[in-house]
Amino acid sequence: MEDNKIKNFKFQNKIMVFHEDPAFGRGPARIMELVRQTNKLSEAYRIMGLSSSKGWKIIKRAQNDLGFPLLTTEIGGKSGGNSKLSQEGEDFLNRYNAFVEELNKEGEKIFKKHFPD
Amino acid sequence: MEDNKIKNFKFQNKIMVFHEDPAFGRGPARIMELVRQTNKLSEAYRIMGLSSSKGWKIIKRAQNDLGFPLLTTEIGGKSGGNSKLSQEGEDFLNRYNAFVEELNKEGEKIFKKHFPD
Protein backbone atom coordinates (compact mmCIF):
# COMPACT_ATOMS: atom_id res chain seq x y z
CA MET A 1 0.00 0.00 0.00
CA GLU A 2 1.20 3.45 -0.80
CA ASP A 3 -0.20 5.38 2.07
CA ASN A 4 1.47 5.00 5.41
CA LYS A 5 -1.76 5.45 7.35
CA ILE A 6 -3.37 2.42 5.73
CA LYS A 7 -1.33 0.08 7.88
CA ASN A 8 -1.28 -1.94 11.04
CA PHE A 9 -4.92 -2.83 10.88
CA LYS A 10 -6.39 -5.79 12.69
CA PHE A 11 -9.69 -7.53 12.33
CA GLN A 12 -12.37 -8.84 14.62
CA ASN A 13 -14.87 -11.48 13.79
CA LYS A 14 -18.08 -11.91 15.78
CA ILE A 15 -19.43 -15.32 14.87
CA MET A 16 -22.98 -16.40 15.64
CA VAL A 17 -24.42 -19.88 14.96
CA PHE A 18 -28.20 -20.08 15.04
CA HIS A 19 -31.49 -21.08 13.48
CA GLU A 20 -33.50 -17.84 13.21
CA ASP A 21 -32.35 -15.51 15.98
CA PRO A 22 -28.57 -14.85 16.05
CA ALA A 23 -28.34 -15.42 19.80
CA PHE A 24 -25.47 -17.88 20.18
CA GLY A 25 -22.06 -16.23 19.99
CA ARG A 26 -19.21 -15.31 22.29
CA GLY A 27 -21.42 -14.48 25.29
CA PRO A 28 -23.21 -17.81 25.70
CA ALA A 29 -20.04 -19.68 24.70
CA ARG A 30 -18.04 -17.95 27.44
CA ILE A 31 -20.72 -18.64 30.07
CA MET A 32 -20.67 -22.31 29.04
CA GLU A 33 -16.87 -22.49 29.18
CA LEU A 34 -16.94 -21.12 32.72
CA VAL A 35 -19.68 -23.54 33.80
CA ARG A 36 -17.57 -26.39 32.39
CA GLN A 37 -14.66 -25.18 34.52
CA THR A 38 -16.45 -24.24 37.74
CA ASN A 39 -19.71 -26.23 37.73
CA LYS A 40 -21.39 -23.06 39.00
CA LEU A 41 -23.53 -20.78 36.88
CA SER A 42 -23.29 -18.11 39.60
CA GLU A 43 -19.50 -18.29 39.38
CA ALA A 44 -19.63 -17.90 35.59
CA TYR A 45 -21.80 -14.80 35.95
CA ARG A 46 -19.52 -13.38 38.66
CA ILE A 47 -16.39 -13.79 36.52
CA MET A 48 -18.11 -12.15 33.54
CA GLY A 49 -19.57 -9.34 35.65
CA LEU A 50 -23.13 -10.30 34.71
CA SER A 51 -26.17 -10.11 36.94
CA SER A 52 -27.92 -13.46 37.15
CA SER A 53 -30.97 -12.06 35.37
CA LYS A 54 -28.84 -10.65 32.52
CA GLY A 55 -26.82 -13.86 32.30
CA TRP A 56 -29.85 -16.10 32.28
CA LYS A 57 -31.48 -13.95 29.59
CA ILE A 58 -28.43 -14.55 27.35
CA ILE A 59 -28.61 -18.32 27.87
CA LYS A 60 -32.39 -18.49 27.54
CA ARG A 61 -32.43 -16.56 24.26
CA ALA A 62 -29.83 -18.92 22.80
CA GLN A 63 -31.66 -22.02 24.04
CA ASN A 64 -34.92 -20.77 22.58
CA ASP A 65 -33.33 -20.36 19.19
CA LEU A 66 -31.31 -23.58 19.22
CA GLY A 67 -34.16 -25.71 20.50
CA PHE A 68 -32.39 -27.58 23.28
CA PRO A 69 -31.07 -26.81 26.78
CA LEU A 70 -27.41 -25.73 26.95
CA LEU A 71 -27.10 -26.29 30.69
CA THR A 72 -28.68 -28.35 33.43
CA THR A 73 -28.76 -27.44 37.11
CA GLU A 74 -29.05 -29.95 39.93
CA ILE A 75 -31.72 -29.22 42.50
CA GLY A 76 -31.27 -30.58 46.02
CA GLY A 77 -28.93 -33.34 47.18
CA LYS A 78 -25.18 -33.15 47.56
CA SER A 79 -24.59 -31.33 44.30
CA GLY A 80 -27.56 -28.96 44.71
CA GLY A 81 -27.02 -25.72 42.78
CA ASN A 82 -24.31 -27.23 40.60
CA SER A 83 -24.65 -26.67 36.87
CA LYS A 84 -23.18 -28.56 33.98
CA LEU A 85 -23.46 -28.58 30.24
CA SER A 86 -26.21 -30.67 28.74
CA GLN A 87 -25.04 -33.34 26.32
CA GLU A 88 -26.35 -31.35 23.37
CA GLY A 89 -24.88 -28.17 24.81
CA GLU A 90 -21.47 -29.83 25.17
CA ASP A 91 -21.59 -31.09 21.59
CA PHE A 92 -22.75 -27.72 20.24
CA LEU A 93 -20.11 -25.76 22.16
CA ASN A 94 -17.35 -28.05 20.94
CA ARG A 95 -18.46 -27.60 17.35
CA TYR A 96 -18.80 -23.84 17.75
CA ASN A 97 -15.32 -23.53 19.28
CA ALA A 98 -13.73 -25.67 16.58
CA PHE A 99 -15.51 -23.66 13.85
CA VAL A 100 -14.46 -20.31 15.35
CA GLU A 101 -10.87 -21.43 15.82
CA GLU A 102 -10.51 -22.70 12.28
CA LEU A 103 -12.26 -19.68 10.75
CA ASN A 104 -10.08 -17.23 12.68
CA LYS A 105 -6.93 -19.09 11.65
CA GLU A 106 -8.01 -18.94 8.02
CA GLY A 107 -9.08 -15.33 8.57
CA GLU A 108 -5.56 -14.31 9.57
CA LYS A 109 -4.19 -15.60 6.27
CA ILE A 110 -6.91 -13.97 4.17
CA PHE A 111 -6.59 -10.72 6.12
CA LYS A 112 -2.85 -10.47 5.42
CA LYS A 113 -3.57 -10.84 1.72
CA HIS A 114 -5.90 -7.86 1.63
CA PHE A 115 -4.29 -5.73 4.32
CA PRO A 116 -0.54 -6.35 4.03
CA ASP A 117 1.61 -4.25 6.33
CA MET B 1 -24.94 -35.74 14.17
CA GLU B 2 -27.22 -37.96 16.16
CA ASP B 3 -29.75 -35.49 17.39
CA ASN B 4 -32.25 -34.19 14.90
CA LYS B 5 -32.48 -30.80 16.55
CA ILE B 6 -28.78 -30.09 16.02
CA LYS B 7 -29.35 -29.39 12.36
CA ASN B 8 -30.02 -26.71 9.82
CA PHE B 9 -27.88 -24.14 11.53
CA LYS B 10 -26.48 -21.15 9.76
CA PHE B 11 -23.77 -18.72 10.77
CA GLN B 12 -23.29 -14.99 10.74
CA ASN B 13 -19.99 -13.22 10.74
CA LYS B 14 -19.66 -9.57 11.78
CA ILE B 15 -16.28 -8.44 10.56
CA MET B 16 -14.62 -5.25 11.76
CA VAL B 17 -11.30 -3.87 10.47
CA PHE B 18 -9.71 -1.23 12.68
CA HIS B 19 -6.75 0.13 14.61
CA GLU B 20 -7.96 0.47 18.21
CA ASP B 21 -11.71 1.02 18.15
CA PRO B 22 -13.70 -1.63 16.21
CA ALA B 23 -15.75 0.99 14.37
CA PHE B 24 -15.50 -0.03 10.72
CA GLY B 25 -17.83 -2.86 9.80
CA ARG B 26 -21.02 -3.42 7.86
CA GLY B 27 -22.60 -0.07 8.77
CA PRO B 28 -19.92 2.29 7.44
CA ALA B 29 -19.26 -0.06 4.50
CA ARG B 30 -22.95 0.07 3.51
CA ILE B 31 -23.08 3.87 3.78
CA MET B 32 -20.00 4.08 1.55
CA GLU B 33 -21.46 1.66 -1.01
CA LEU B 34 -24.58 3.81 -1.23
CA VAL B 35 -22.56 7.02 -1.58
CA ARG B 36 -20.60 5.38 -4.37
CA GLN B 37 -23.89 4.59 -6.11
CA THR B 38 -25.83 7.78 -5.46
CA ASN B 39 -23.20 10.49 -4.77
CA LYS B 40 -25.46 11.67 -1.97
CA LEU B 41 -24.81 11.06 1.71
CA SER B 42 -28.39 12.11 2.46
CA GLU B 43 -29.65 9.45 0.05
CA ALA B 44 -27.47 6.80 1.72
CA TYR B 45 -28.92 7.69 5.12
CA ARG B 46 -32.46 7.69 3.72
CA ILE B 47 -32.08 4.21 2.22
CA MET B 48 -30.63 2.88 5.46
CA GLY B 49 -33.26 4.58 7.62
CA LEU B 50 -30.61 6.56 9.51
CA SER B 51 -30.95 10.10 10.77
CA SER B 52 -28.13 12.28 9.46
CA SER B 53 -26.75 12.74 12.98
CA LYS B 54 -26.74 8.96 13.60
CA GLY B 55 -25.25 8.28 10.16
CA TRP B 56 -22.55 10.87 10.51
CA LYS B 57 -21.65 9.53 13.97
CA ILE B 58 -21.03 6.08 12.42
CA ILE B 59 -18.79 7.55 9.72
CA LYS B 60 -16.95 9.88 12.08
CA ARG B 61 -16.19 7.15 14.59
CA ALA B 62 -14.71 4.98 11.82
CA GLN B 63 -12.70 7.87 10.38
CA ASN B 64 -11.32 8.73 13.80
CA ASP B 65 -10.10 5.18 14.27
CA LEU B 66 -8.75 4.67 10.76
CA GLY B 67 -7.00 8.01 10.62
CA PHE B 68 -8.21 9.24 7.23
CA PRO B 69 -11.44 10.59 5.73
CA LEU B 70 -13.73 8.00 4.13
CA LEU B 71 -15.82 10.53 2.23
CA THR B 72 -15.53 14.04 0.86
CA THR B 73 -18.42 16.40 0.25
CA GLU B 74 -18.40 19.22 -2.28
CA ILE B 75 -19.44 22.59 -0.97
CA GLY B 76 -20.95 25.10 -3.42
CA GLY B 77 -20.74 25.05 -7.24
CA LYS B 78 -22.60 22.74 -9.57
CA SER B 79 -21.98 19.59 -7.52
CA GLY B 80 -22.66 21.28 -4.17
CA GLY B 81 -23.84 18.76 -1.62
CA ASN B 82 -22.54 15.81 -3.59
CA SER B 83 -20.41 13.30 -1.69
CA LYS B 84 -17.92 10.78 -2.95
CA LEU B 85 -15.45 8.37 -1.48
CA SER B 86 -12.00 9.71 -0.69
CA GLN B 87 -9.17 7.95 -2.45
CA GLU B 88 -8.12 6.26 0.79
CA GLY B 89 -11.74 5.44 1.58
CA GLU B 90 -12.22 3.83 -1.83
CA ASP B 91 -9.08 1.74 -1.40
CA PHE B 92 -10.02 0.72 2.13
CA LEU B 93 -13.60 -0.22 1.19
CA ASN B 94 -12.39 -2.34 -1.73
CA ARG B 95 -9.99 -4.21 0.53
CA TYR B 96 -12.64 -4.66 3.23
CA ASN B 97 -15.17 -6.00 0.72
CA ALA B 98 -12.67 -8.40 -0.82
CA PHE B 99 -11.61 -9.63 2.64
CA VAL B 100 -15.21 -10.14 3.79
CA GLU B 101 -16.19 -11.94 0.59
CA GLU B 102 -13.25 -14.32 0.72
CA LEU B 103 -13.63 -14.98 4.45
CA ASN B 104 -17.33 -15.72 4.12
CA LYS B 105 -16.68 -18.09 1.21
CA GLU B 106 -14.07 -19.93 3.25
CA GLY B 107 -16.42 -19.75 6.25
CA GLU B 108 -19.12 -21.67 4.38
CA LYS B 109 -16.73 -24.55 3.79
CA ILE B 110 -15.43 -24.63 7.35
CA PHE B 111 -18.97 -24.32 8.74
CA LYS B 112 -20.16 -27.36 6.80
CA LYS B 113 -17.30 -29.37 8.28
CA HIS B 114 -18.34 -28.64 11.85
CA PHE B 115 -22.10 -28.39 11.40
CA PRO B 116 -22.97 -30.92 8.71
CA ASP B 117 -26.67 -31.29 8.03
Side-chain angles (χ1 to χ4, degrees):
Chain A
M1 278 189 235
E2 284 158 42
D3 197 297
N4 219 32
K5 282 180 286 185
I6 310 194
K7 279 196 171 191
N8 300 313
F9 292 120
K10 55 192 167 196
F11 77 99
Q12 192 186 76
N13 206 8
K14 287 192 186 174
I15 302 162
M16 317 299 284
V17 176
F18 60 105
H19 281 130
E20 299 301 328
D21 174 26
F24 192 95
R26 294 194 298 185
R30 178 85 178 120
I31 293 171
M32 290 174 76
E33 287 293 352
L34 289 169
V35 165
R36 183 145 68 175
Q37 285 165 36
T38 66
N39 295 315
K40 292 279 183 196
L41 200 46
S42 56
E43 185 62 6
Y45 294 159
R46 196 191 59 76
I47 293 169
M48 292 177 70
L50 291 171
S51 69
S52 62
S53 64
K54 180 86 196 278
W56 185 242
K57 204 177 278 183
I58 291 171
I59 290 292
K60 208 172 61 179
R61 192 182 144 204
Q63 290 185 156
N64 283 347
D65 175 71
L66 298 175
F68 51 82
L70 296 171
L71 304 160
T72 58
T73 300
E74 298 279 319
I75 299 171
K78 255 193 193 165
S79 58
N82 276 5
S83 292
K84 57 176 189 169
L85 305 191
S86 68
Q87 206 184 325
E88 284 160 319
E90 178 94 32
D91 178 55
F92 186 84
L93 180 65
N94 290 341
R95 289 174 189 277
Y96 175 82
N97 284 343
F99 171 53
V100 167
E101 192 184 340
E102 194 170 341
L103 186 56
N104 280 336
K105 210 169 139 184
E106 209 53 47
E108 289 290 346
K109 286 184 218 160
I110 299 170
F111 185 71
K112 283 205 179 81
K113 238 174 82 176
H114 297 287
F115 292 91
D117 266 348
Chain B
M1 280 191 231
E2 286 157 40
D3 197 297
N4 219 32
K5 283 179 287 184
I6 309 196
K7 279 194 170 192
N8 299 316
F9 291 119
K10 56 191 165 195
F11 78 99
Q12 191 187 77
N13 207 6
K14 288 193 184 173
I15 300 164
M16 317 300 283
V17 177
F18 61 104
H19 281 130
E20 299 300 329
D21 173 27
F24 192 95
R26 294 192 299 184
R30 179 86 178 120
I31 293 171
M32 290 174 77
E33 288 293 354
L34 289 169
V35 166
R36 183 144 68 176
Q37 285 165 35
T38 66
N39 295 315
K40 294 278 183 197
L41 201 45
S42 57
E43 186 62 6
Y45 294 158
R46 195 191 59 77
I47 293 168
M48 292 177 70
L50 290 171
S51 69
S52 61
S53 65
K54 181 86 197 276
W56 185 243
K57 206 177 276 183
I58 290 171
I59 291 292
K60 209 171 60 177
R61 192 182 144 203
Q63 291 186 153
N64 283 347
D65 176 70
L66 299 174
F68 51 82
L70 295 171
L71 304 160
T72 58
T73 299
E74 298 278 320
I75 299 171
K78 257 190 191 167
S79 59
N82 275 6
S83 293
K84 57 177 190 167
L85 304 192
S86 68
Q87 206 184 325
E88 284 161 319
E90 178 94 34
D91 178 56
F92 186 83
L93 180 65
N94 290 340
R95 290 173 188 277
Y96 175 82
N97 284 344
F99 170 54
V100 167
E101 192 184 340
E102 194 171 341
L103 186 55
N104 280 336
K105 209 169 140 186
E106 209 53 46
E108 289 291 346
K109 286 184 218 159
I110 300 170
F111 186 70
K112 283 204 179 82
K113 238 174 81 177
H114 297 287
F115 292 92
D117 265 348

